[in-house]
Amino acid sequence: MVELRLQNVSKEYVVESKTTFALQDINLKINKRESVAIVGPSGCGKTTLIRMIAGLEKPTSGQIFLQGKPLLGPDPKIMMVFQNFALLPWKNVVENIELGLLDKPENERAEMIRKYLDVVGMEGFEENYPRDMSSGMKQRVGIARALCREPDILVMDEPFSSLDQLTARNLQSEILRFYHSRKLKPDVLMLVTHNVQEAVFMGDRVIVLSQRPGHVKADMIIELERPRNIRDRKFQDYVDEIVSLIT
Ligand code: ADP
Ligand code: MG
């Protein structure tokens, strides 16, 4: 079943009468239960693409359909995790997560927060402020805030790029374990990254974007067992193939 469809989506930015063509004619169908990684060189339009899918930017031309209906703006069915966590420094962990739930009754909020703090392994840190947390912890909060809306689609823009390698790999494994357990939403995982190894580790499918203006250069199914082993020969073959497409 098609969850998300992009039809001839292009995006240009005009700043002081200078036009930047960020993305050109993107056509994609994303199915239910797919985990999709989007890779491409820096500046090729990855953030632009994922922000359009999250309803935070509008295509200059073309259309995006969510479950068959045109996507016209932010939708609670699609939640985003940001590269720089986007936490408010003057709010503690609970208050930051609560920001995503202000339309829910208070008792329901508390329950959701407890549930998703547990999912991301942040119980016991309820009162902490961002200044007292590592990058990994901050991103766990960012993920909890997105997950607690129980979105059908979770989109993540370079969510691990400011974490050290070990922290990033741990968090990636945890997210995959959670996603594959199928106990809770989301149905679709979308990840933008410039890190090819991360894309092959996370994605059932890897979409390779060209240099700016980004268009779909390759769309590959990654046929590797899970959990994936980055030292596996076949894993490395996928990485090599994608790297050669990008460079
Ligand atoms: P990536 O995430 O792949 O590095 P971006 O989507 O951030 O790429 O940017 C793609 C291109 O669009 C870049 O050339 C960038 O400078 C430009 N761009 C992105 N956002 C804006 C904006 N708000 N205004 C003007 N240009 C932008
Ligand atoms: Mg980016």
Side-chain angles (χ1 to χ4, degrees):
M1 193 180 138
V2 179
E3 272 287 287
L4 190 74
R5 188 157 66 89
L6 279 74
Q7 189 180 289
N8 301 325
V9 168
S10 297
K11 178 75 179 177
E12 339 179 323
Y13 292 104
V14 181
V15 180
E16 290 167 358
S17 74
K18 187 181 165 284
T19 304
T20 303
F21 295 94
L23 288 165
Q24 191 177 35
D25 265 328
I26 306 285
N27 287 291
L28 283 176
K29 277 184 192 156
I30 310 291
N31 301 304
K32 213 165 172 162
R33 294 312 308 172
E34 257 181 342
S35 111
V36 180
I38 299 167
V39 278
S42 175
C44 76
K46 300 183 296 297
T47 295
T48 301
L49 180 63
I50 212 78
R51 285 178 61 83
M52 286 196 294
I53 291 170
L56 302 173
E57 307 254 6
K58 287 195 167 45
T60 310
S61 60
Q63 247 189 324
I64 300 176
F65 298 89
L66 170 63
Q67 296 163 358
K69 298 193 196 82
L71 180 75
L72 302 170
D75 188 306
K77 290 195 176 97
I78 307 181
M79 292 302 291
M80 174 134 164
V81 173
F82 298 89
Q83 185 169 8
N84 298 319
F85 330 120
L87 303 182
L88 296 180
W90 59 90
K91 292 197 181 282
N92 68 23
V93 166
V94 165
E95 292 162 345
N96 263 291
I97 298 176
E98 199 167 27
L99 288 175
L101 294 169
L102 294 178
D103 57 331
K104 306 270 186 205
E106 219 161 303
N107 57 334
E108 205 176 303
R109 275 185 229 166
E111 195 182 313
M112 295 301 263
I113 292 169
R114 209 171 327 115
K115 179 167 159 187
Y116 285 96
L117 277 178
D118 181 50
V119 167
V120 300
M122 284 291 286
E123 359 38 349
F125 296 98
E126 288 80 356
E127 311 284 312
N128 279 51
Y129 285 83
R131 64 171 177 272
D132 301 322
M133 292 191 282
S134 66
S135 302
M137 290 163 83
K138 285 186 235 183
Q139 194 55 297
R140 284 173 191 274
V141 177
I143 292 167
R145 184 183 51 197
L147 285 179
C148 72
R149 295 295 324 198
E150 308 202 321
D152 292 339
I153 304 177
L154 183 73
V155 298
M156 304 192 278
D157 183 16
E158 308 251 15
F160 314 111
S161 63
S162 54
L163 313 187
D164 66 77
Q165 221 179 349
L166 192 64
T167 306
R169 185 51 39 82
N170 283 337
L171 196 48
Q172 288 159 16
S173 299
E174 285 176 46
I175 289 170
L176 287 173
R177 218 176 307 129
F178 166 75
Y179 174 67
H180 289 129
S181 75
R182 306 188 61 162
K183 288 196 195 105
L184 297 164
K185 295 275 179 183
D187 298 322
V188 174
L189 209 57
M190 292 187 81
L191 164 82
V192 153
T193 179
H194 65 270
N195 182 323
V196 175
Q197 197 184 59
E198 182 178 306
V200 176
F201 190 72
M202 297 289 288
D204 300 329
R205 189 173 154 197
V206 174
I207 292 162
V208 184
L209 296 182
S210 68
Q211 298 270 14
R212 186 166 60 84
H215 55 267
V216 177
K217 200 166 179 185
D219 188 343
M220 303 167 60
I221 304 290
I222 307 297
E223 289 175 19
L224 294 173
E225 307 258 294
R226 292 194 185 272
R228 291 181 177 164
N229 179 0
I230 58 167
R231 285 185 199 82
D232 186 10
R233 181 64 219 263
K234 285 192 200 139
F235 187 104
Q236 195 52 45
D237 288 345
Y238 276 115
V239 171
D240 292 344
E241 185 180 350
I242 294 167
V243 167
S244 69
L245 282 166
I246 292 176
T247 49

